[in-house]
Amino acid sequence: FYVFLVTATEEYIRLKKQVCSTERGEKMIKSRLKECLDICFAKGVSLGLWSEKVKGRYTVEKPKHAGQGDFATNFAMVAAGMEKKNPRELAAQFVEILTEQAADLVDKVEIAGPGFINIFTKDSVWQEALTQIITLGNSFGPPDVGNGKKVLVEFVSANPTGPLSVG
């Protein structure tokens, strides 16, 4: 157990040095938030609140409905299933760590329903992102998907009255 705790603590420290408030404007908002959530996850592991089993299994998404924050994470729901714990309790622990770790990024955090975590980002974060986009101009957002490899895209004219099949 001691070796595991030391390893988790080292991971938390490594991640903390990499992200959160140190790289403003260098990453888009969702990826910055995901990295901060990963830091919070690592801190929770180092504190013994949950295990490494959940690592990489939770997501950050845009909520489906207005008023549910700028982003949401299913961390507590995923962790509760794997850890056999109450999702709202896990969400409360995660929110406590998140508000401490991401004070420069997060304006408010709410626990919704059975344990979803709704995250409201600060206005300044959006302003930083817009400034970066404007500065980059036309070079903003070019994809590096495929790394220069050629692909073949075929279009199909499907029968609108019949079923579409692949094969």
Side-chain angles (χ1 to χ4, degrees):
F1 178 74
Y2 175 75
V3 172
F4 172 75
L5 190 58
V6 169
T7 304
T9 304
E10 289 170 353
E11 175 73 0
Y12 163 71
I13 292 168
R14 184 186 67 74
L15 286 169
K16 178 69 177 160
K17 287 178 182 175
Q18 269 185 359
V19 194
C20 273
S21 60
T22 59
E23 295 183 359
R24 288 187 185 169
E26 293 179 19
K27 297 180 189 260
M28 287 292 103
I29 300 165
K30 185 176 177 181
S31 61
R32 281 181 61 199
L33 181 61
K34 175 65 167 100
E35 289 174 342
C36 282
L37 293 179
D38 291 342
I39 289 169
C40 295
F41 171 78
K43 183 169 185 181
V45 170
S46 71
L47 294 172
L49 300 175
W50 45 77
S51 71
E52 285 277 338
K53 289 190 284 188
V54 186
K55 186 175 185 175
R57 296 180 185 252
Y58 55 91
T59 61
V60 177
E61 302 295 331
K62 184 165 176 41
K64 293 179 182 176
H65 303 289
Q68 293 182 333
D70 299 310
F71 298 98
T73 182
N74 63 348
F75 166 78
M77 301 300 292
V78 173
M82 299 182 88
E83 301 284 339
K84 307 293 186 225
K85 294 182 178 179
N86 182 317
R88 285 192 69 87
E89 289 176 14
L90 287 171
Q93 294 168 331
F94 195 84
V95 165
E96 185 177 332
I97 296 170
L98 179 61
T99 53
E100 172 191 314
Q101 296 295 319
D104 67 323
L105 188 62
V106 174
D107 184 37
K108 159 175 98 165
V109 184
E110 295 175 348
I111 301 171
F116 291 101
I117 301 170
N118 295 334
I119 303 164
F120 297 80
T121 54
K122 290 187 173 185
D123 289 342
S124 60
V125 172
W126 295 100
Q127 293 163 354
E128 288 175 14
L130 287 174
T131 302
Q132 181 182 0
I133 292 167
I134 291 167
T135 302
L136 292 173
N138 290 338
S139 65
F140 172 75
D144 60 354
V145 177
N147 296 322
K149 293 181 183 175
K150 291 183 179 183
V151 295
L152 174 63
V153 179
E154 293 186 21
F155 293 92
V156 133
S157 177
N159 178 354
T161 61
L164 183 63
S165 64
V166 178

